[in-house]
Amino acid sequence: MSVFSDLVFEAGLVARSLGDYFAGGAVRLGVTGLSRSGKTVFLTALVSNLIAGARLPVLAASAEGRITRARLEPQPDDAVPRFGYEDHVASLMGPDRQWPQSTRRISQLRLTIEFETANRWSGRDASLTLDLVDYPGEWLLDLPLLDKTYATWARETLAASETSARAPLAAGWRAALAGLDVHAEANEDRAREIAEKFTAYLRKARENVYALSTLPPGRFLMPGDLEGSPALTFAPIPLGEGDAIVSGTMAAMMERRYEAYKTHVVKPFFRDHFARLDRQIVLVDALTALNSGPAALSDLENALSEVLSAFRAGRASSFASIFRPRIDRILFAATKADHLHHTSHDRLEAILRLLTARAIARAEGVGAEIDVIALAAIRATREAEIRQQGEILKAIIGVPEKGETIGGDVFDGVAEAAVFPGELPADPASIFAGDAIALPEADNDWRFVHFRPPITQRGQPAPHIRLDRALQFLIGDRLA
Ligand code: GDP
């Protein structure tokens, strides 16, 4: 049986490479990033621009008028949920103009792009099958667990919870551990209580607006289909160095569930999904981190470095037997650039370049081309210059969401507001010195203003910033 399936697998590979040779072939593009980084909005905008045949000047195939049409195809993988593209478009463009429901689990969508090859004399029809895979970035943080024993993970996680920043958040969980005899008989109720309090701690640390980087297990924060499942009913408990774990005890039960989580949740994700990606975009909400200050920025830098280690893994590491990533292009993208005036877009890009520099340097030999961009998949604002006390200030104008406040004014979700986003510093390194954004005024509560999606003409995709440049990097060569 296994020989037969190997043969089928080999045959599939040959068919695929012939297909690649004769046409645009197939690309599996992963879209990831931590919760609320903009994955759903990005993917919805990408698809709607291609389907509508929108002009995308930096995407060469579009600029040269070679894209004939793009259409959605039936879902290729029965076991993976479909990305709810139609629902997302309906909420963005419907009468209420709402941002779509964010990513909670892995989902996928297949798009076929018909195009003419770039050769001027022998241009011929070709097509590119683009499989788009949206998944929570939190799941990438589970990779280090694969070569870590339960005892080591428990010790490290307990130690991390003792730092001054984390201790107050971990207090509930630590209290639940008090008096626990880890070598006493396993007790399901107690295990559930400890796991719930541990999950609450991870959530609080995550909600602390980038004050703390995210800790694994990733499914405790983004459970996907495992919501409420026993697979998530484990937690670190204090084990002494060199303690033997005897079967039937609380320690043994926790260890068994931890190992089951690795085998049934983490490994299949890396093997069946991650390892099959050809290209990857990692979305980063750098503006939120910038607004939170230098500590949040260093933390974001660490999180990005962890994410990149997943792409490096497998090439020359202990994970090679489980999966071998084949990603050959990675794009890091700072999202929501429409919250800034365009004069700051390059600066945002420079800041993200600095934040990823260390990780990228460490990833040398990863075998992938890496680039950095600032973009807005959906542009909710426009720009204006406003004269104030003889000075010309650069403003952005949009409709703040209902209930948003600026300087004491409460917005109704209908009225427009002009806000002054200030300028990002010319020297990206200065963000670590604390002066993240040079503000034109002391009152800075505009920074957290959320705008409603823009009004668009029927059938037309929303405006964007640099989405075309992202596409050129991610798939431009396959449309040549
Ligand atoms: P996900 O959790 O990564 O799927 O994040 P979403 O795509 O759902 O984005 C989270 C929120 O960020 C959205 O509800 C919007 O409020 C905001 N957002 C995302 N992309 C953009 C963008 O391009 N422009 C603006 N103005 N807001 C965005």
Side-chain angles (χ1 to χ4, degrees), residues 34 141 210 213-214 298-308:
L34 295 179
L141 305 174
Y210 284 112
S213 64
T214 304
S298 324
D299 224 62
L300 176 61
E301 189 185 13
N302 285 334
L304 287 171
S305 161
E306 279 167 46
V307 164
L308 220 100

Side-chain angles (χ1 to χ4, degrees), residues 119-171:
N119 191 316
R120 249 175 86 191
W121 290 280
S122 62
R124 58 191 167 75
D125 293 337
S127 77
L128 173 70
T129 303
L130 186 59
D131 279 331
L132 301 156
V133 185
D134 173 31
Y135 66 93
E138 284 80 358
W139 294 4
L140 292 176
L141 305 174
D142 277 343
L143 185 71
L145 300 185
L146 287 180
D147 63 358
K148 216 170 260 181
T149 63
Y150 173 72
T152 308
W153 172 70
R155 253 193 303 282
E156 287 179 3
T157 309
L158 278 157
S161 74
E162 280 158 18
T163 58
S164 59
R166 290 182 182 273
L169 310 176

Side-chain angles (χ1 to χ4, degrees), residues 34-41 99-100 102-103 336 338-339 376-378 380:
L34 295 179
S35 163
R36 314 284 301 161
S37 57
K39 299 179 286 297
T40 311
V41 173
W99 294 103
S102 297
T103 300
K336 313 180 196 181
D338 57 329
H339 285 85
I378 291 189

Side-chain angles (χ1 to χ4, degrees), residues 174-364:
R174 309 273 314 201
L177 292 175
L180 176 76
D181 179 358
V182 301
H183 301 299
E185 199 185 331
N187 175 327
E188 180 63 50
D189 287 345
R190 192 82 196 267
R192 191 160 347 106
E193 185 205 344
I194 294 170
E196 273 165 14
K197 298 219 158 119
F198 173 61
T199 310
Y201 153 57
L202 292 183
R203 287 232 173 82
K204 272 190 238 151
R206 176 73 184 89
E207 278 157 17
N208 217 347
V209 205
Y210 284 112
L212 302 165
S213 64
T214 304
L215 279 180
R219 301 287 169 125
F220 282 49
L221 293 156
M222 268 292 155
D225 300 334
L226 293 177
E227 186 105 50
S229 150
L232 307 186
T233 319
F234 68 92
I237 56 176
L239 287 169
E241 193 87 46
D243 266 10
I245 297 181
V246 179
S247 88
T249 61
M250 198 71 167
M253 180 160 94
M254 291 293 188
E255 180 182 48
R256 198 183 61 241
R257 289 182 178 174
Y258 171 82
E259 290 301 330
Y261 177 80
K262 282 161 59 177
T263 310
H264 300 300
V265 178
V266 184
K267 264 189 209 166
F269 167 69
F270 281 99
R271 189 189 57 213
D272 304 339
H273 299 297
F274 187 71
R276 289 168 65 208
L277 300 175
D278 303 302
R279 305 261 158 108
Q280 176 71 58
I281 179 164
V282 180
L283 303 177
V284 184
D285 186 356
L287 283 175
T288 301
L290 271 166
N291 287 336
S292 307
L297 285 161
S298 324
D299 224 62
L300 176 61
E301 189 185 13
N302 285 334
L304 287 171
S305 161
E306 279 167 46
V307 164
L308 220 100
S309 68
F311 298 109
R312 197 176 55 229
R315 306 221 181 228
S317 74
S318 53
F319 306 120
S321 62
I322 304 165
F323 73 99
R324 194 176 281 277
R326 60 177 192 203
I327 293 169
D328 63 358
R329 285 193 184 191
I330 305 170
L331 183 60
F332 284 97
T335 51
K336 313 180 196 181
D338 57 329
H339 285 85
L340 296 171
H341 193 266
H342 74 265
T343 44
S344 282
H345 292 164
D346 287 341
R347 294 181 175 187
L348 180 60
E349 225 161 82
I351 288 169
L352 185 62
R353 203 172 288 283
L354 181 73
L355 285 171
T356 50
R358 206 172 41 132
I360 291 175
R362 283 210 346 230
E364 265 189 85

